[in-house]
Every structure is written in structure tokens, then in C-alpha cells.
Amino acid sequence: MKWPRILRWSWRILVADMLKIAHINSGYGDVQVLRDVSLEVLRGEIVSVIGPNAAGKTTLMRSIVGLTRPRAAEGGGIFFEGRNLDGLAPEQIVRLGITIAPEGARIFPDMTVLENLYLGAHALKDQRRIKGLLDRVFRLHPWLADRGSQLAGTLSGGERQMLSIGRALMSDPKLLLLDEPSLGLHPVVAEHVFSAIQAINQDGVTALMVEQKVAFSLEISARAYVLENGSIAMSGPAAELIDDPHIKKAYLAL
Amino acid sequence: MSLTIQALINGILLGGVYALYSAGFCLIFGVMGVVNIAHGELVMLGAFAAYWLFLLGRIDPLISLPISFGLLFCFGYILQRLLINRVVGAPPIMSYILTFGIHLVIANVALLAWTADFRTFAVPWAGTSLTWGGLVIPKARLVTFVLAGFVVGLLYLLLSRTRAGRAIRSTAQDWEMARLMGINVRAVYALTFALGAGVTGVAGSMVSTFFVIHPQMGLQYTIVAFCVAVLGGMGYLPGALLGGLLLGVVESLCAALLSPGLSVAVTFFILFLVLLIRPRGLLGRGMLE
Ligand SMILES: Nc1ncnc2c1ncn2[C@@H]1O[C@H](COP(=O)(O)OP(=O)(O)OP(=O)(O)O)[C@@H](O)[C@H]1O
Ligand SMILES: [Mg+2]
């Protein structure tokens, strides 16, 4: 059955989840990492994924953007605003409105800060819109404005992370994926990054965040998932998880 | 003394020739990590394009440069789309095997089509030289030298100043992240190879005005391009200019002051030293260690 376009669109925007992952497996070659993972992100939320090293958090992020091909059981898959992402290339997926600040920032080191930011907006055509997005990034991280011509490879770890998030915002995303945005950062800088994420969220960007600094991330999240050994072990509102004995013991060291 | 100066001039001009036909090789390696063993065949095709256009159409090679560029650009684009895209990102041995195969096919098809004859053709202006106080500067080589600087400069501007250039550089640095910027890296690779092939075609056309051409000429050009790339730093474009000049000057001075037979030996000795001491090229800006 073919729906009239207007119905299809309004269904996507009003009813469907921003992101719905249903029963996917994923991995590299023969190595299976994710097993039957399901997860959803609603419009406007910040959702956290926490879990120990090698649990498959990065693999989950890579699967969403299509860098690692997930395999879904019958009826499963990854759906963005109701649209199945199966078979789409990463460059097509990001054009739908998903973007990622990957693990370890992965800015382009031999390019200037400004070039990195413009690359974030590579898929956009409208120069006025790009200018507006650039202003938004500069409002979030004012120091970036003065460093436009600095080579990104010479930035400090914290600066790289902020540039990476800024670059991601330049595509004007609906959904922002963050893979350990506080990795290797001093607590004070990490806090700054977290408050930036909160500000971005209040600006209307939905976020799915992988984090090891569990107390921080639960604090700003609406809900959270616990990924252990490639499967979802627990999930629920962040406020409940923060008091859970297992979480306290394994992740908050209390 | 004037002999030495003349040798130096010859070397610099020869270096321009080397730089011009190595720039494309450097560009292709720098962006996709493919060592293109069929590079010399692109030189050969550019040379034959100029040859036939002159013979059949009476078009001066200088005028036909844009045509050579266009032909090789299209050829490179198709080659990349159909074949070479399959080995980008694969272990290097795969690209060696594939481009070696392409080298054999092109060289042998050309041999069937054009026979093994050695060919030259006389463009009136290209045979003449400027002379000044006993020093001789062949015009064709001077033009090639200027063209080398022009082409490398243009490529550099394209890479550093344009949107397409930005896409190419980001792909070279981290192709996964480039895809996440919405860049179609297959298209970037095709554009890069097409550009590299195009400027190499231009180089081939210029070469045909002062060197003998034949279908089997390619391999020696590939070897020189490889040496130039190692000297300048694998994949660092301005390094092609430096590497080319250095190679040309060393070769020419050796031939004039020591013995022509020694120049190859000295060249390889320098290459060996560079690989040993500065594996990222003389400027240390190459992408391969
Ligand atoms: N490219 C790859 N090829 C093969 N195996 C991989 C690859 N990348 C990751 N793995 C494996 O998949 C498993 C999950 O890795 P992943 O990077 O998703 O973990 P993670 O939860 O992000 O861990 P961390 O907290 O350390 O970042 C690990 O056992 C890892 O060794
Ligand atoms: Mg990870």
C-alpha cells in the first residue's frame, strides 16, 4: 500500500520515534559484538548508553550511521523518523539529519578549525544557513571564533572534542550521536562539555550519548540504557537508574 | 665553468619535466594510498594524443594540451570508477597487482594499435632554443618547466581553496569521517584520479615534443615518478616539484661532471639515503613512513 505523501510525512514527524533500533545484531567479520539490541530515542530527549569497555557502545554508534553494517532479525532494523536505514550508505544517512561526534573526536588534523567546521556543513547548500549555524557554534564555544585559522591537529584534547561537537552541529542535525564526549578530559572541562550538550539539546537537538562518566551523563539524560557484553542489560529513566544498586556498584563506585 | 652552469640549467629544466609528470602520481597516492604502476601509461597516452592530433589535425601540441587533459581526465575517471575503486583501502599489494595489470593491458593494446615503432614529430617552435652568452635553453623544455610550476600551483590552489578540494583533502585524512560529512568518497576518488590522469596527460603531450615516444615507454616514467615521490614525500604535492628538481639536477650534474653512466647509480644512492634518513621525504611532509 502506498500512503499519500502528506500522511507519510506527518506520521514520521508526529508519531514515529526519532530513532528506533529493533533487534539488531552487529559486528566485524566473524566477530559478533551486538546481540539483539533494541533501543529508542524520542524527539527532544537526551538518552545515555553506559557500559564497560568493549561492551559494544562504539559498535552501536557505528551501526547507526552505517559504517558497520548491522544485521537485523525479521521485522527489526534501525529506523530514523520511521524510515528504515537498511542499505543506506553513511553519506546518505547523515544527510537525513543524523550526525556523530565520534570516539576520540577524529577532527581533520591537517585542516584549520574553520575548514573542519565548514566540512561539517558540506551537505548544505544555503550559505546564509551555514553562516547561521557557524554563529550558533561560536556562541556555544566562543574561543573557536578566534582560532579559525589554527590547524586542528594542534588543538588540545578538550578543544578537539569541542571542535568535533561543533563540526557535528554544523550539519544542522535532528539527532546528535556522541561517543564518549568527555574521553580524556579534565573533570572541569568535561563539565563544560556536558553543559554545552545540554544547551544544544535545549536548542532542539535530540541526543544519544555514550559515556563512561556515568554520574554526569545520567544527570543530564532523560533515560539510559546499560549495554553489557553486547546486549542491553538494563534500561529506564535516568533518575531511577542512578539509584539502582547494580549501577551504583558497577558504574558509580559507591 | 659554463659547462657546469649549462648542466645545472639542463638539470633544472629536466627537473621540471619530472615534476610535471610526477604531480599526478603524488596526488593519487596522497589521496587514496594507491601506488599507480600504470602511471607511465598515462604519460604514454598523453604523448600519443599530442602525436596524433598533430599528425592528423595539424594541431600544435601547446594548443592540444586541453584536449589531452580532457581525454585523460575522462579515461582516468572511468578507470577509477570501474576498477581502481575496488582496491582503495585494501592492502597495498592489491593495488600493485591491479595497477600492474592495467599497465600491461594498456601498454599491449597500444602496441597492437600503434606498433612498437619509435616516433618523433617535428613541431617547428619546439626544436628551437634560446641562447644567451653561450648557454642554451631549449624552448620546449622551458615551456614544460613553466607548465610544471603552473600545474602544481593550480592543483595546490584547487585543493586548498575550493569546496571540492576540501572534500578531497578530508577524504585523504580520514575517509570514514569524510563519509560522515556527507561526502561520497567514491566520487572523490574518481575525481582525484581523473585530475591526476589529466595533468599526467598534459605532461605526456609536452614530453612528446622532445623525447621519442613508443607504446612501451611507460614503465621508465613510472619509476622516475616513484623516485620523485619518495624524494618529495609520498603524497605531498609541492614535494613533487622539489623532488623533480633535485632528481633532474643531480642526474644532469652527474652526467656532466662524473660520467653519464654513474647518474643512475648516484640517483638510487640518494634515494636509498632519503628512505633511510628521511622516510617521509626531504621536507618530512609525506604520508608514508
Ligand atoms: N574494527 C574492528 N574489527 C574487529 N573487532 C572490533 C573492531 N572494532 C571493535 N572491535 C571489537 O568489538 C568489541 C566492541 O568494541 P567497541 O569499540 O564497540 O567497544 P566500546 O563499548 O565502545 O568500548 P570502549 O568503552 O573501550 O570504547 C571489542 O571486543 C573490540 O575488540
Ligand atoms: Mg567506544
Side-chain angles (χ1 to χ4, degrees):
Chain A
M1 181 184 70
K2 195 143 172 65
W3 291 22
R5 178 173 267 171
I6 179 86
L7 272 183
R8 210 159 66 220
W9 278 100
S10 36
W11 183 73
R12 270 184 197 167
I13 292 171
L14 299 175
V15 185
D17 296 346
M18 170 119 317
L19 180 75
K20 182 179 168 70
I21 298 177
H23 306 294
I24 61 154
N25 302 312
S26 191
Y28 309 90
D30 291 338
V31 186
Q32 187 177 3
V33 178
L34 298 181
R35 291 182 194 80
D36 194 31
V37 168
S38 299
L39 165 164
E40 58 193 12
V41 181
L42 305 180
R43 198 166 298 277
E45 278 186 319
I46 298 181
V47 173
S48 279
V49 175
I50 60 178
N53 292 120
K57 305 181 297 297
T58 298
T59 306
L60 176 66
M61 293 300 204
R62 289 176 59 91
S63 302
I64 297 171
V65 293
L67 284 178
T68 300
R69 280 284 141 110
R71 292 174 301 274
E74 187 63 31
I78 300 181
F79 302 86
F80 179 66
E81 296 189 313
R83 173 174 182 162
N84 194 340
L85 300 184
D86 187 37
L88 294 184
E91 55 269 28
Q92 295 169 310
I93 292 175
V94 295
R95 281 167 190 260
L96 297 176
I98 303 181
T99 186
I100 183 168
E103 186 170 21
R106 286 176 76 172
I107 38 101
F108 297 104
D110 294 338
M111 293 202 203
T112 65
V113 165
L114 210 53
E115 282 180 315
N116 269 275
L117 292 174
Y118 278 125
L119 271 164
H122 190 84
L124 305 181
K125 291 277 179 304
D126 180 1
Q127 290 304 316
R128 288 234 309 280
R129 187 164 163 217
I130 294 176
K131 185 75 188 47
L133 289 163
L134 197 61
D135 287 340
R136 176 169 84 171
V137 172
F138 287 162
R139 247 179 289 127
L140 210 58
H141 301 301
W143 62 271
L144 272 174
D146 311 323
R147 304 288 195 85
S149 55
Q150 186 176 344
L151 274 188
T154 63
L155 294 174
S156 77
E159 290 170 337
R160 282 174 197 223
Q161 200 60 58
M162 291 183 237
L163 175 59
S164 176
I165 295 173
R167 179 182 64 180
L169 285 178
M170 286 299 290
S171 67
D172 203 3
K174 297 173 188 163
L175 175 64
L176 172 61
L177 307 178
L178 296 147
D179 195 345
E180 299 203 35
S182 75
L183 185 69
L185 301 190
H186 185 274
V188 174
V189 184
E191 207 156 351
H192 179 76
V193 168
F194 282 120
S195 60
I197 292 166
Q198 240 174 336
I200 294 161
N201 179 248
Q202 272 147 24
D203 216 22
V205 181
T206 306
L208 176 63
M209 170 166 69
V210 164
E211 252 307 326
Q212 306 258 22
K213 292 199 169 63
V214 173
F216 274 133
S217 65
L218 288 183
E219 198 175 309
I220 65 168
S221 300
R223 294 181 305 111
Y225 292 82
V226 180
L227 188 67
E228 287 174 358
N229 268 321
S231 309
I232 301 289
M234 287 175 79
S235 65
E240 283 174 23
L241 287 179
I242 215 165
D243 290 325
D244 184 272
H246 171 68
I247 303 279
K248 273 193 165 152
K249 188 156 166 289
Y251 298 101
L252 297 170
L254 293 176
Chain B
M1 188 58 204
S2 81
L3 188 76
T4 314
I5 296 177
Q6 179 67 53
L8 195 65
I9 291 174
N10 290 348
I12 291 172
L13 293 177
L14 183 64
V17 179
Y18 288 169
L20 184 57
Y21 70 69
S22 303
F25 183 87
C26 279
L27 177 71
I28 289 166
F29 179 82
V31 173
M32 48 193 142
V34 167
V35 172
N36 179 22
I37 297 175
H39 184 76
E41 273 57 49
L42 302 174
V43 178
M44 184 268 290
L45 290 175
F48 271 91
Y51 176 84
W52 289 118
L53 285 166
F54 184 75
L55 219 66
L56 303 177
R58 290 278 131 203
I59 307 176
D60 187 292
L62 267 191
I63 312 288
S64 70
L65 284 182
I67 304 178
S68 293
F69 179 85
L71 287 175
L72 269 291
F73 185 93
C74 295
F75 181 69
Y77 190 89
I78 293 168
L79 205 59
Q80 179 71 29
R81 276 264 140 158
L82 290 186
L83 292 173
I84 300 178
N85 259 340
R86 291 162 200 275
V87 298
V88 177
I93 185 76
M94 299 299 283
S95 69
Y96 296 153
I97 294 172
L98 179 66
T99 58
F100 185 68
I102 294 171
H103 145 76
L104 288 179
V105 170
I106 298 177
N108 284 297
V109 169
L111 195 62
L112 281 179
W114 299 324
T115 74
D117 290 353
F118 284 46
R119 300 164 195 255
T120 54
F121 61 110
V123 186
W125 65 267
T128 61
S129 301
L130 303 171
T131 54
W132 182 71
L135 299 174
V136 183
I137 301 177
K139 278 187 193 164
R141 301 236 183 165
L142 186 63
V143 170
T144 309
F145 180 81
V146 172
L147 214 55
F150 182 70
V151 162
V152 173
L154 216 59
L155 280 179
Y156 190 79
L157 280 182
L158 181 106
L159 287 176
S160 59
R161 297 287 155 80
T162 68
R163 202 177 107 94
R166 207 154 58 204
I168 291 176
R169 279 183 299 141
S170 69
T171 304
Q173 285 173 42
D174 187 339
W175 62 271
E176 274 192 349
M177 279 318 295
R179 294 187 82 176
L180 295 178
M181 301 294 112
I183 293 166
N184 180 342
V185 299
R186 308 251 143 198
V188 164
Y189 290 145
L191 174 67
T192 306
F193 200 92
L195 272 174
V199 300
T200 308
V202 166
S205 293
M206 286 314 296
V207 159
S208 73
T209 63
F210 45 79
F211 287 153
V212 171
I213 68 171
H214 56 101
Q216 307 284 44
M217 68 195 259
L219 201 54
Q220 79 200 64
Y221 287 85
T222 305
I223 293 170
V224 173
F226 187 81
C227 296
V228 168
V230 168
L231 284 177
M234 277 305 253
Y236 177 58
L237 204 50
L241 220 43
L242 179 82
L245 284 180
L246 188 80
L247 203 63
V249 168
V250 166
E251 246 186 67
S252 166
L253 285 182
C254 273
L257 303 179
L258 301 170
S259 126
L262 271 182
S263 71
V264 175
V266 171
T267 303
F268 275 96
F269 181 67
I270 291 181
L271 208 63
F272 175 74
L273 280 186
V274 167
L275 278 175
L276 208 64
I277 302 165
R278 297 207 61 119
R280 309 186 104 214
L282 292 168
L283 297 174
R285 295 283 301 268
M287 309 187 125
L288 197 77
E289 303 197 27

